[in-house]
Amino acid sequence: NAGVMQNPRHLVRRRGQEARLRCSPVKGHSHVYWYRQLPEEGLKFMVYLQKENIIDESGMPKERFSAEFPKEGPSILRIQQVVRGDSAAYFCASSLRDSDQPQHFGDGTRLSIL
Amino acid sequence: AQSVAQPEDQVNVAEGNPLTVKCTYSVSGNPYLFWYVQYPNRGLQFLLKYITGDNLVKGSYGFEAEFNKSQTSFHLKKPSALVSDSALYFCAVSYPSGGYNKLIFGAGTRLAVHP
């Protein structure tokens, strides 16, 4: 069974460009989470989505960041007009519906801003 | 505010010796507790969880963790460490509501097992 698939694994952007990060959850998982990991830090929650719905975006910066999980296709985390401070590893996780199920993490996208 | 503390940045242990990685939390109510491990340039791998029931939970790769409600701790343990256990370990808690888990992570503890 395929796990959570994230692409690209590495992404380099110049300041002001857009970054699009993709996440395909484990087959059958309807819950998708995005987390950000800054160097030498733990993961910080960004957003939680179900198909076609953003449920909790309390960890998302108010500007430039958006996320979606369409009916068909992967979940997308989009960062517009990137800045140096956006450099981080972005992880996607998915889980079954029940809240006591562990989240399965992808290998992350490492975003570097030049 | 909900938070998770991993007081040790790094834990060093000799192969074959027991290991403990500490975690304390400050979350009201009855949180769910998790341990994850991260290898270089990889995502997090689930080790074990505590939801309810026995305070000692067993997980993957011989790891176990003890939930102590009075001390709000959830320390990770293994009776005999392996060099291959060297990695970054994260404790996480959640206070599920609405049917989902928003994980709050500690800063991580780097475990180094020496031959």
Side-chain angles (χ1 to χ4, degrees), chain B residues 23-41:
Chain B
C23 172
T24 58
Y25 64 93
S26 59
V27 177
S28 61
N30 298 308
Y32 293 177
L33 298 156
F34 302 84
W35 275 102
Y36 284 85
V37 60
Q38 185 180 34
Y39 295 98
N41 297 315

Side-chain angles (χ1 to χ4, degrees), chain B residues 81-96:
Chain B
L82 300 173
V83 173
S84 58
D85 292 330
S86 299
L88 191 56
Y89 289 80
F90 289 100
C91 180
V93 301
S94 71
Y95 187 54

